[in-house]
Amino acid sequence: MLKRTSYDAVVVGAGVVGAACAYYAAKAGLRVAVVDRGPVAGGTTGAGEGNLLVSDKEPGPELDLALLSTTLWRDLAAEFGDRVEYEPKGGLVVATAPAGLDALHGFAAGQLAAGVDAVAVAADDLRELEPHLADGLPGGVLYPQDAQVQPALAAAHLLRASGADRYLGEAVTALRRGPGGAITGVVTERRELAAPAVVNAAGTWGGAVAELAGVRLPVLPRRGFVLVTEPLPRIVRRKVYAADYVADVASGSADLQSSAVVEGTPAGPVLIGASRERVGFDRTLSPEVLHRLAAQAAALFPVLRTVAVQRAYRGFRPYLPDHLPAIGRDARVPGLYQACGHEGAGIGLAPATGLLIARQLVGEKPEFDLSPFRPERFDEEE
Amino acid sequence: MDPLDLVGAEPGPARTILFDGRPVPALPGQTLAAALWADGVLAWRTTRTGGRPRGAFCGIGQCFDCLATVNGRPNQRLCLLPAEHGDAVTTQEGHGHGDLAV
Amino acid sequence: MATSRSEAGPIRYDLAVIGAGPAGLAAADAAAALGLRVALLDAGARLGGQYYRHPAPELGAARPEKLHHGWRTFDRLRERLAAAPLVDHLPEHHVWAAERGEHWTLHATRGPERADRATVTARGLLLATGAYERQLPFPGWTLPGVVTAGGAQAMLKSGLVLPGRRIVVAGSGPLLLAVASSLAAAGARVPAIVEATGYLGYGRGLPVLAGNPAKLAEGAEHAARLLRHGVRLRRRAAVVEAHGTDRITAVTVARLDARWKPVPGSGRRIACDALAIGHGLVPQIDLAVELGAATVTTADGTAALRVDAQQRTSVPGLWAAGETCGVGGADLALAEGVLAAHSVAGKPAPARELTVRRRRRGFAALMAAAHAPGPDWTGWVTDDTDVCRCEEVPARAVREAVTELGAADARTVKLLTRAGMGWCQGRMCGPAVACLSGGPLGGPDSRPLSCPVPLAQLAEPDEPFVQ
């Protein structure tokens, strides 16, 4: 007989999204448990750069989510202080060709109308913002709302502050359903957790958890590599990336896309992303991807040619076919809530996701319309 | 007995390297770390956070504790670098890239 | 043998051997004798690896064998390889990734300054990358003058220097006797060898010992030399603190109980100007782990590659020999190198090497079990002790990550504290962090890049292959 404990909600997944769900649900007065087959931040969170971006999002539901998250991260940073390495440093998107600059300005104009702070930066002013930038770049756009956290610390501190019971290193083996089909709890390898609500925050592995409830959620892995340099003084002040990145993020292609995203960290190393490939869960190191990232980063910041890459890591972004996460009550299974599929934006979008889920869990009206994120939307297409 | 006696070493004349500007002899074939050890110097960098002195630890290029600035290039492993006449070793502070800070 | 600088463009070899220590030398020699074209890559400037590490020719050492066991074997291998037209020695090649495709592509950075790069292609790959030393932190272990036992020996063997005049040798494992014996022979005073185990573990393996007379003789030779120099062996004891401000001036040695917990009140101070310390060896298997090769946990809690009777790993086309398959010493490595070469060439295994491997693997298992760290060694790690030397992460931070933030394994501790994220990529602190996190021991560490690579070299496009 497995040990049985009762909760108001069980969150599956101890990444940053699961931690944020637990944090806001507990804040709303619920008794919460978090279950993960691995440790805290053991999946995509631990392999992320900690981007809190509005700059790469076009006007629409994801941008709304990002703008809400921007405010929430500011509050969380006040609560957690330096412990999560929150840096409201802003992002600088640079065009690499004159034609790209026009496109970038057009993109920014749309964002501005949607409530994003965006400031055009002339070619001559780029160096003032980032003294190590390459010669000859035609210009860029500064996004003061972009920020960064250390993702594993963010997840761990959110989880601790939630006060939720942690069942880590325990895989969920089944979801319990009542006579009417409603969720009644979670079964792990070691225990049973009774709860009328289960939040699927299993990220890239969210499809498998949904399947335990008998529903389809087509989350696919999209692999990314990050290069990490030796420790350096601050040589890159903001998050700096080439405008091509936005097109890469939006691309649905399975082929490799890469565009340099370069940023410093409080600990010293410079992080260089971001590549995107749909190759399943293949962990094989790709020297070709590392080469492209290095070349693109060096093109933006030639000074990086003088430093060493100390390590590299890879992760699998949870990708849904329309690039939007699944957030909210799953109409197909009473008591099941989805909070996954954030692709590369999970760190940034976590607080808004957590808050919106908590609103639904306690029966309050969410801050805005969640229908673009409804989990069952992929069934409707077929 | 010393190590040279033990193996019957008859090296050629010593070269001179500079450690923080001070001349230090180096036998041909020795690494910079070996030459500094032979001179009684055990530390040639200070750490990034605590400012603590460090020198060679593993002696085989694995631990990266023996980093120092050599001829103006930071983060060189002295346990691997052969000592060449005139090499200038400078005690490295922290990451050794202070000049790049913006 | 040609000493190539691999500048003429990549050449496709039948076999690339990474590591020119005993296993790699024996493999390259045997493979060439069987008609294979071999690339022998090594991070060092000279053949020999760590075991046969020796002074540069410019030092004019007339009797390098004074610091070595089995020097004649090395001399013979070196001569044979020098005369082997099928073997290219690629010195100062540090391979940072092995890429698998229709053939192997090895990506290397070259020279101590990593000044340029090289790409080498081959049909088969043999990993003979040896091992590095396991360290267990203690208060004061970051002081100048505290060096690894193997490091003291390496600096002596290659540079003919000592870190001090009065050197305590401490830790655990058979290497300590060899190190103390070399240091004493080279003129250092060794006030004590401090060995954490009681060596009693050997008693249970008498039949294995009897089958390895050469090992016993080697041990007896060290013991005789140590006796001659008046060096005292303290068993069941550990250096629990190194004293000094800017360099070491003394150590405190305490008795240990059976679980390696320091016995309160047993501390005794020994003055010294250097400490050479190590707790056995850790197989260096990053390249294979990155390729997904299966590993086993050895009796002393380190991860080694799993190989079959032909030295084949679980990855097709990848062989391993020597310490990468579990630490076992030079004779075992030599035998496994020969066996691997025969497998690569599709030839039956020679009987002599099969016998040596069987005996020495047994001996290695015995030694590993005897010198496995006791579970309570962490008792001497104070909260202020820096566990990670590179990132200066104190034990307190590691313990808080476990108790406060729910970390239960080395990887999570690393993500939350930076322990293991520095220049050495956790080679110095990895085993300690694993213990302090309470996680499983013997899981292989992941290092997608096996060494730092200049960004400028990564940014260059690959050279086209020359068939």
Side-chain angles (χ1 to χ4, degrees):
Chain A
M1 187 66 188
L2 294 169
K3 267 173 66 177
R4 195 182 154 90
T5 324
S6 292
Y7 294 93
D8 297 323
V10 173
V11 177
V12 182
V16 71
V17 174
C21 289
Y23 175 85
Y24 287 103
K27 243 184 153 164
L30 301 184
R31 187 168 142 70
V32 184
V34 175
V35 191
D36 197 299
R37 64 173 176 182
V40 60
T44 310
T45 297
E49 296 175 84
N51 293 342
L52 316 181
L53 298 189
V54 296
S55 55
D56 65 338
K57 295 173 181 66
E58 61 185 355
E62 198 191 3
L63 180 59
D64 297 341
L65 211 56
L67 285 168
L68 173 59
S69 271
T70 299
T71 330
L72 295 173
W73 269 119
R74 230 171 268 152
D75 299 341
L76 292 170
E79 180 178 342
F80 297 125
D82 292 339
R83 284 172 295 170
V84 297
E85 297 181 9
Y86 174 77
E87 288 188 290
K89 59 188 179 185
L92 178 64
V93 182
V94 294
T96 49
L101 185 61
D102 294 340
L104 177 61
H105 282 157
F107 188 72
Q111 291 173 312
L112 205 60
V116 172
D117 296 340
V119 185
V121 182
D124 294 345
D125 297 335
L126 285 173
R127 285 272 180 79
E128 200 141 313
L129 296 176
E130 293 292 345
H132 284 298
L133 264 179
D135 281 328
L137 295 165
V141 174
L142 176 69
Y143 292 87
Q145 287 158 311
D146 282 357
Q148 187 181 10
V149 288
Q150 205 274 27
L153 285 171
H157 282 282
L158 275 167
L159 190 54
R160 177 168 71 153
S162 76
D165 285 345
R166 296 179 289 217
Y167 301 102
L168 303 179
E170 282 184 41
V172 171
T173 54
L175 297 181
R176 286 266 190 258
R177 317 267 298 263
I183 292 283
T184 58
V186 161
V187 186
T188 78
E189 290 157 326
R190 290 203 276 280
R191 73 196 79 230
E192 197 161 333
L193 306 169
V198 167
V199 181
N200 175 14
T204 313
W205 300 269
V209 174
E211 214 174 290
L212 292 177
V215 296
R216 179 173 161 267
L217 193 65
V219 188
L220 291 172
R222 202 176 186 193
R223 186 172 75 178
F225 284 98
V226 175
L227 299 178
V228 186
T229 71
E230 62 183 286
L232 296 168
R234 192 55 87 152
I235 65 168
V236 181
R237 291 172 178 159
R238 292 167 188 78
K239 175 176 290 282
V240 180
Y241 63 88
D244 325 298
Y245 175 74
V246 179
D248 285 358
V249 172
S251 163
S253 167
D255 299 338
L256 168 66
Q257 287 107 43
S258 73
S259 49
V261 178
V262 184
E263 63 199 309
T265 58
V270 166
L271 305 182
I272 299 166
S275 63
R276 287 160 197 273
E277 293 165 278
R278 291 222 321 265
V279 290
F281 285 106
D282 182 355
R283 294 183 59 78
T284 311
L285 184 79
S286 166
E288 171 60 19
V289 176
L290 305 191
H291 154 65
R292 282 172 64 162
L293 290 175
Q296 289 168 332
L300 278 185
F301 289 100
V303 65
L304 290 173
R305 289 186 163 277
T306 66
V307 308
V309 173
Q310 211 167 56
R311 60 199 173 90
Y313 59 88
R314 84 219 93 195
F316 297 95
R317 304 178 185 89
Y319 162 88
L320 280 166
D322 61 1
H323 299 284
L324 288 180
I327 300 174
R329 194 176 281 130
D330 192 316
R332 298 165 295 185
V333 181
L336 179 65
Y337 296 76
Q338 306 287 5
C340 52
H342 295 75
E343 203 170 330
I347 315 296
L349 303 180
T353 303
L355 180 69
L356 296 168
I357 292 282
R359 292 275 191 257
Q360 285 195 335
L361 284 171
V362 297
E364 285 174 14
K365 197 172 145 41
E367 268 68 1
F368 51 79
D369 174 26
L370 283 181
S371 62
F373 307 113
R374 67 193 183 285
E376 58 282 1
R377 64 187 188 273
F378 303 102
D379 291 350
E380 295 156 13
E381 287 163 9
E382 285 161 16
Chain B
M1 179 65 75
D2 73 20
L4 292 155
D5 296 340
L6 179 67
V7 299
E10 286 179 18
R15 303 152 176 190
T16 302
I17 61 167
L18 294 172
F19 175 60
D20 288 337
R22 179 173 68 82
V24 170
L27 296 177
Q30 279 184 329
T31 60
L32 289 167
L36 289 172
W37 273 21
D39 197 55
V41 178
L42 293 178
W44 45 81
R45 79 174 175 103
T46 55
T47 58
R48 210 159 99 234
T49 311
R52 303 296 303 153
R54 296 278 178 88
F57 180 63
C58 82
I60 61 169
Q62 294 276 359
C63 76
F64 293 81
D65 242 345
C66 68
L67 300 179
T69 299
V70 180
N71 303 327
R73 298 184 58 210
N75 295 312
Q76 300 301 311
R77 284 173 286 180
L78 299 202
C79 78
L80 298 184
L81 270 186
E84 304 293 348
H85 187 73
D87 275 347
V89 178
T90 324
T91 295
Q92 179 175 317
E93 287 175 23
H95 45 58
H97 286 291
D99 55 320
L100 299 181
V102 294
Chain C
M1 176 181 62
T3 297
S4 163
R5 292 174 61 83
S6 66
E7 275 164 355
I11 303 161
R12 200 151 160 189
Y13 294 94
D14 296 315
L15 176 65
V17 178
I18 307 180
L25 290 170
D29 174 54
L34 294 167
L36 303 182
R37 299 190 55 199
V38 182
L40 178 56
L41 298 90
D42 192 89
R46 294 183 292 285
L47 293 175
Q50 300 312 328
Y51 188 78
Y52 296 130
R53 191 180 254 266
H54 54 280
E58 298 94 305
L59 275 162
R63 300 182 299 274
E65 69 276 10
K66 286 283 177 190
L67 284 166
H68 284 273
H69 264 276
W71 182 256
R72 243 177 315 166
T73 306
F74 174 58
D75 236 6
R76 203 170 53 231
L77 277 170
R78 192 163 56 162
E79 270 168 35
R80 272 218 300 268
L81 285 169
L86 288 176
V87 180
D88 282 344
H89 175 214
L90 308 180
E92 301 190 324
H93 278 58
H94 205 139
V95 177
W96 54 264
E99 193 179 1
R100 221 181 124 217
E102 280 169 35
H103 51 72
W104 290 100
T105 305
L106 305 179
H107 301 271
T109 177
R110 287 204 28 229
E113 295 169 280
R114 303 184 291 255
D116 54 22
R117 61 173 211 156
T119 310
V120 175
T121 58
R123 280 195 295 115
L125 176 60
L126 170 63
L127 212 59
T129 40
Y132 55 90
E133 228 170 337
R134 172 162 55 190
Q135 296 301 326
L136 303 179
F138 54 94
W141 78 307
T142 55
L143 281 171
V146 179
V147 300
T148 72
Q153 196 183 37
M155 293 281 287
L156 174 58
K157 281 178 176 179
S158 63
L160 306 177
V161 287
L162 298 167
R165 305 300 305 165
R166 194 178 153 82
I167 309 170
V168 171
V169 176
S172 179
L175 180 66
L176 300 187
L177 296 181
V179 170
S181 155
S182 308
L183 296 176
R189 166 120 173 72
V190 178
I193 302 175
V194 184
E195 160 64 56
T197 69
Y199 273 105
L200 291 174
Y202 293 0
R204 286 191 290 267
L206 281 174
V208 179
L209 286 176
N212 287 276
K215 279 284 167 199
L216 288 180
E218 190 182 323
E221 201 183 312
H222 288 312
R225 205 189 225 180
L226 292 169
L227 200 65
R228 227 173 27 246
H229 289 282
V231 178
R232 207 175 137 218
L233 174 63
R234 289 200 55 186
R235 294 181 179 85
R236 289 196 181 288
V239 168
V240 294
E241 186 170 3
H243 307 276
T245 46
D246 284 339
R247 59 190 292 170
I248 186 171
T249 54
V251 293
T252 294
V253 173
R255 254 185 314 121
L256 300 181
D257 70 13
R259 293 172 56 88
W260 287 33
K261 190 175 165 209
V263 175
S266 68
R268 245 196 60 213
R269 218 172 152 108
I270 301 176
C272 60
D273 59 6
L275 167 66
I277 189 158
H279 285 274
L281 302 174
V282 181
Q284 174 132 292
I285 57 176
D286 311 319
L287 290 168
V289 169
E290 188 52 32
L291 292 163
T295 61
V296 293
T297 303
T298 65
D300 67 349
T302 60
L305 293 176
R306 195 184 79 202
V307 287
D308 66 7
Q310 292 186 44
Q311 302 298 132
R312 290 180 298 200
T313 69
S314 66
V315 175
L318 178 65
W319 284 259
E323 313 290 52
T324 52
C325 311
V327 171
D331 292 340
L332 176 59
L334 289 163
E336 290 187 344
V338 171
L339 292 170
H342 280 76
S343 173
V344 174
K347 296 286 193 290
R352 197 189 81 83
E353 277 74 17
L354 285 174
T355 307
V356 172
R357 181 176 64 184
R358 194 183 64 246
R359 288 192 179 147
R360 288 295 155 84
R361 275 285 157 221
F363 186 75
L366 191 69
M367 297 294 268
H371 292 283
D376 291 348
W377 70 267
T378 51
W380 69 59
V381 183
T382 58
D383 275 349
D384 290 335
T385 307
D386 276 340
V387 173
C388 171
R389 301 172 65 91
C390 300
E391 295 298 299
E392 298 170 84
V393 181
R396 178 184 299 105
V398 174
R399 287 170 173 148
E400 277 173 9
V402 173
T403 56
E404 303 292 313
L405 298 177
D409 63 286
R411 179 178 181 267
T412 310
V413 166
K414 170 173 147 181
L415 284 172
L416 298 176
T417 66
R418 298 194 58 75
M421 275 198 189
W423 273 107
C424 86
Q425 288 296 288
R427 287 185 175 89
M428 298 302 117
C429 70
V433 171
C435 286
L436 288 166
S437 70
L441 289 185
D445 296 323
S446 166
R447 295 186 187 101
L449 301 182
S450 82
C451 68
V453 187
L455 188 134
Q457 285 173 33
L458 273 185
E460 283 170 39
D462 252 342
E463 309 134 41
F465 297 124
V466 180
Q467 295 289 324

PDB file of all heavy atoms in Angstrom, chain A residues 196-213:
ATOM      1  N   PRO A 196      -7.656  17.305  -6.120  1.00  0.00           N
ATOM      2  CA  PRO A 196      -8.671  17.519  -7.159  1.00  0.00           C
ATOM      3  C   PRO A 196      -8.106  18.246  -8.384  1.00  0.00           C
ATOM      4  O   PRO A 196      -8.814  18.412  -9.373  1.00  0.00           O
ATOM      5  CB  PRO A 196      -9.700  18.414  -6.450  1.00  0.00           C
ATOM      6  CG  PRO A 196      -8.906  19.144  -5.405  1.00  0.00           C
ATOM      7  CD  PRO A 196      -7.805  18.227  -4.974  1.00  0.00           C
ATOM      8  N   ALA A 197      -6.861  18.689  -8.277  1.00  0.00           N
ATOM      9  CA  ALA A 197      -6.277  19.421  -9.407  1.00  0.00           C
ATOM     10  C   ALA A 197      -4.834  18.981  -9.626  1.00  0.00           C
ATOM     11  O   ALA A 197      -4.067  18.833  -8.672  1.00  0.00           O
ATOM     12  CB  ALA A 197      -6.311  20.925  -9.136  1.00  0.00           C
ATOM     13  N   VAL A 198      -4.473  18.771 -10.873  1.00  0.00           N
ATOM     14  CA  VAL A 198      -3.084  18.444 -11.233  1.00  0.00           C
ATOM     15  C   VAL A 198      -2.641  19.421 -12.313  1.00  0.00           C
ATOM     16  O   VAL A 198      -3.355  19.630 -13.301  1.00  0.00           O
ATOM     17  CB  VAL A 198      -2.960  16.997 -11.743  1.00  0.00           C
ATOM     18  CG1 VAL A 198      -1.602  16.763 -12.401  1.00  0.00           C
ATOM     19  CG2 VAL A 198      -3.159  16.022 -10.594  1.00  0.00           C
ATOM     20  N   VAL A 199      -1.473  20.033 -12.079  1.00  0.00           N
ATOM     21  CA  VAL A 199      -0.920  20.976 -13.049  1.00  0.00           C
ATOM     22  C   VAL A 199       0.233  20.293 -13.779  1.00  0.00           C
ATOM     23  O   VAL A 199       1.205  19.863 -13.145  1.00  0.00           O
ATOM     24  CB  VAL A 199      -0.413  22.264 -12.349  1.00  0.00           C
ATOM     25  CG1 VAL A 199       0.138  23.238 -13.383  1.00  0.00           C
ATOM     26  CG2 VAL A 199      -1.513  22.908 -11.521  1.00  0.00           C
ATOM     27  N   ASN A 200       0.108  20.188 -15.080  1.00  0.00           N
ATOM     28  CA  ASN A 200       1.175  19.573 -15.880  1.00  0.00           C
ATOM     29  C   ASN A 200       2.177  20.647 -16.276  1.00  0.00           C
ATOM     30  O   ASN A 200       1.962  21.416 -17.198  1.00  0.00           O
ATOM     31  CB  ASN A 200       0.565  18.912 -17.119  1.00  0.00           C
ATOM     32  CG  ASN A 200       1.629  18.353 -18.056  1.00  0.00           C
ATOM     33  OD1 ASN A 200       2.803  18.225 -17.689  1.00  0.00           O
ATOM     34  ND2 ASN A 200       1.214  18.014 -19.276  1.00  0.00           N
ATOM     35  N   ALA A 201       3.294  20.686 -15.532  1.00  0.00           N
ATOM     36  CA  ALA A 201       4.359  21.645 -15.829  1.00  0.00           C
ATOM     37  C   ALA A 201       5.617  20.846 -16.160  1.00  0.00           C
ATOM     38  O   ALA A 201       6.721  21.189 -15.747  1.00  0.00           O
ATOM     39  CB  ALA A 201       4.592  22.574 -14.645  1.00  0.00           C
ATOM     40  N   ALA A 202       5.440  19.789 -16.909  1.00  0.00           N
ATOM     41  CA  ALA A 202       6.559  18.883 -17.195  1.00  0.00           C
ATOM     42  C   ALA A 202       7.359  19.308 -18.417  1.00  0.00           C
ATOM     43  O   ALA A 202       8.200  18.553 -18.908  1.00  0.00           O
ATOM     44  CB  ALA A 202       6.059  17.449 -17.358  1.00  0.00           C
ATOM     45  N   GLY A 203       7.094  20.506 -18.901  1.00  0.00           N
ATOM     46  CA  GLY A 203       7.926  21.073 -19.956  1.00  0.00           C
ATOM     47  C   GLY A 203       7.986  20.212 -21.199  1.00  0.00           C
ATOM     48  O   GLY A 203       6.960  19.792 -21.743  1.00  0.00           O
ATOM     49  N   THR A 204       9.207  19.922 -21.638  1.00  0.00           N
ATOM     50  CA  THR A 204       9.415  19.162 -22.868  1.00  0.00           C
ATOM     51  C   THR A 204       8.815  17.755 -22.770  1.00  0.00           C
ATOM     52  O   THR A 204       8.539  17.116 -23.770  1.00  0.00           O
ATOM     53  CB  THR A 204      10.927  19.086 -23.152  1.00  0.00           C
ATOM     54  OG1 THR A 204      11.473  20.395 -22.985  1.00  0.00           O
ATOM     55  CG2 THR A 204      11.199  18.634 -24.574  1.00  0.00           C
ATOM     56  N   TRP A 205       8.632  17.297 -21.541  1.00  0.00           N
ATOM     57  CA  TRP A 205       8.079  15.959 -21.321  1.00  0.00           C
ATOM     58  C   TRP A 205       6.588  16.035 -20.984  1.00  0.00           C
ATOM     59  O   TRP A 205       5.992  15.069 -20.539  1.00  0.00           O
ATOM     60  CB  TRP A 205       8.896  15.253 -20.233  1.00  0.00           C
ATOM     61  CG  TRP A 205      10.329  15.128 -20.663  1.00  0.00           C
ATOM     62  CD1 TRP A 205      10.880  14.079 -21.335  1.00  0.00           C
ATOM     63  CD2 TRP A 205      11.371  16.107 -20.519  1.00  0.00           C
ATOM     64  NE1 TRP A 205      12.207  14.344 -21.618  1.00  0.00           N
ATOM     65  CE2 TRP A 205      12.542  15.568 -21.129  1.00  0.00           C
ATOM     66  CE3 TRP A 205      11.448  17.377 -19.950  1.00  0.00           C
ATOM     67  CZ2 TRP A 205      13.765  16.274 -21.187  1.00  0.00           C
ATOM     68  CZ3 TRP A 205      12.655  18.082 -20.000  1.00  0.00           C
ATOM     69  CH2 TRP A 205      13.789  17.522 -20.609  1.00  0.00           C
ATOM     70  N   GLY A 206       5.981  17.217 -21.219  1.00  0.00           N
ATOM     71  CA  GLY A 206       4.580  17.446 -20.876  1.00  0.00           C
ATOM     72  C   GLY A 206       3.621  16.574 -21.661  1.00  0.00           C
ATOM     73  O   GLY A 206       2.544  16.213 -21.170  1.00  0.00           O
ATOM     74  N   GLY A 207       4.019  16.203 -22.877  1.00  0.00           N
ATOM     75  CA  GLY A 207       3.156  15.358 -23.697  1.00  0.00           C
ATOM     76  C   GLY A 207       2.919  14.016 -23.030  1.00  0.00           C
ATOM     77  O   GLY A 207       1.801  13.481 -23.054  1.00  0.00           O
ATOM     78  N   ALA A 208       3.947  13.480 -22.394  1.00  0.00           N
ATOM     79  CA  ALA A 208       3.838  12.171 -21.744  1.00  0.00           C
ATOM     80  C   ALA A 208       2.925  12.255 -20.525  1.00  0.00           C
ATOM     81  O   ALA A 208       2.167  11.317 -20.246  1.00  0.00           O
ATOM     82  CB  ALA A 208       5.225  11.670 -21.341  1.00  0.00           C
ATOM     83  N   VAL A 209       2.996  13.367 -19.803  1.00  0.00           N
ATOM     84  CA  VAL A 209       2.131  13.521 -18.632  1.00  0.00           C
ATOM     85  C   VAL A 209       0.678  13.666 -19.081  1.00  0.00           C
ATOM     86  O   VAL A 209      -0.234  13.072 -18.493  1.00  0.00           O
ATOM     87  CB  VAL A 209       2.584  14.723 -17.767  1.00  0.00           C
ATOM     88  CG1 VAL A 209       1.592  14.980 -16.637  1.00  0.00           C
ATOM     89  CG2 VAL A 209       3.981  14.476 -17.203  1.00  0.00           C
ATOM     90  N   ALA A 210       0.474  14.441 -20.162  1.00  0.00           N
ATOM     91  CA  ALA A 210      -0.892  14.595 -20.686  1.00  0.00           C
ATOM     92  C   ALA A 210      -1.459  13.233 -21.095  1.00  0.00           C
ATOM     93  O   ALA A 210      -2.634  12.935 -20.867  1.00  0.00           O
ATOM     94  CB  ALA A 210      -0.886  15.558 -21.873  1.00  0.00           C
ATOM     95  N   GLU A 211      -0.586  12.432 -21.658  1.00  0.00           N
ATOM     96  CA  GLU A 211      -1.007  11.106 -22.101  1.00  0.00           C
ATOM     97  C   GLU A 211      -1.506  10.247 -20.929  1.00  0.00           C
ATOM     98  O   GLU A 211      -2.398   9.426 -21.094  1.00  0.00           O
ATOM     99  CB  GLU A 211       0.178  10.426 -22.782  1.00  0.00           C
ATOM    100  CG  GLU A 211      -0.202   9.520 -23.934  1.00  0.00           C
ATOM    101  CD  GLU A 211       1.038   9.015 -24.645  1.00  0.00           C
ATOM    102  OE1 GLU A 211       1.698   9.834 -25.306  1.00  0.00           O
ATOM    103  OE2 GLU A 211       1.356   7.823 -24.500  1.00  0.00           O
ATOM    104  N   LEU A 212      -0.904  10.450 -19.748  1.00  0.00           N
ATOM    105  CA  LEU A 212      -1.365   9.713 -18.561  1.00  0.00           C
ATOM    106  C   LEU A 212      -2.820  10.052 -18.252  1.00  0.00           C
ATOM    107  O   LEU A 212      -3.541   9.263 -17.642  1.00  0.00           O
ATOM    108  CB  LEU A 212      -0.481  10.034 -17.341  1.00  0.00           C
ATOM    109  CG  LEU A 212       0.973   9.537 -17.363  1.00  0.00           C
ATOM    110  CD1 LEU A 212       1.707  10.011 -16.113  1.00  0.00           C
ATOM    111  CD2 LEU A 212       1.008   8.009 -17.454  1.00  0.00           C
ATOM    112  N   ALA A 213      -3.235  11.268 -18.671  1.00  0.00           N
ATOM    113  CA  ALA A 213      -4.634  11.657 -18.471  1.00  0.00           C
ATOM    114  C   ALA A 213      -5.464  11.323 -19.702  1.00  0.00           C
ATOM    115  O   ALA A 213      -6.641  11.685 -19.785  1.00  0.00           O
ATOM    116  CB  ALA A 213      -4.713  13.152 -18.168  1.00  0.00           C
TER     117      ALA A 213
END
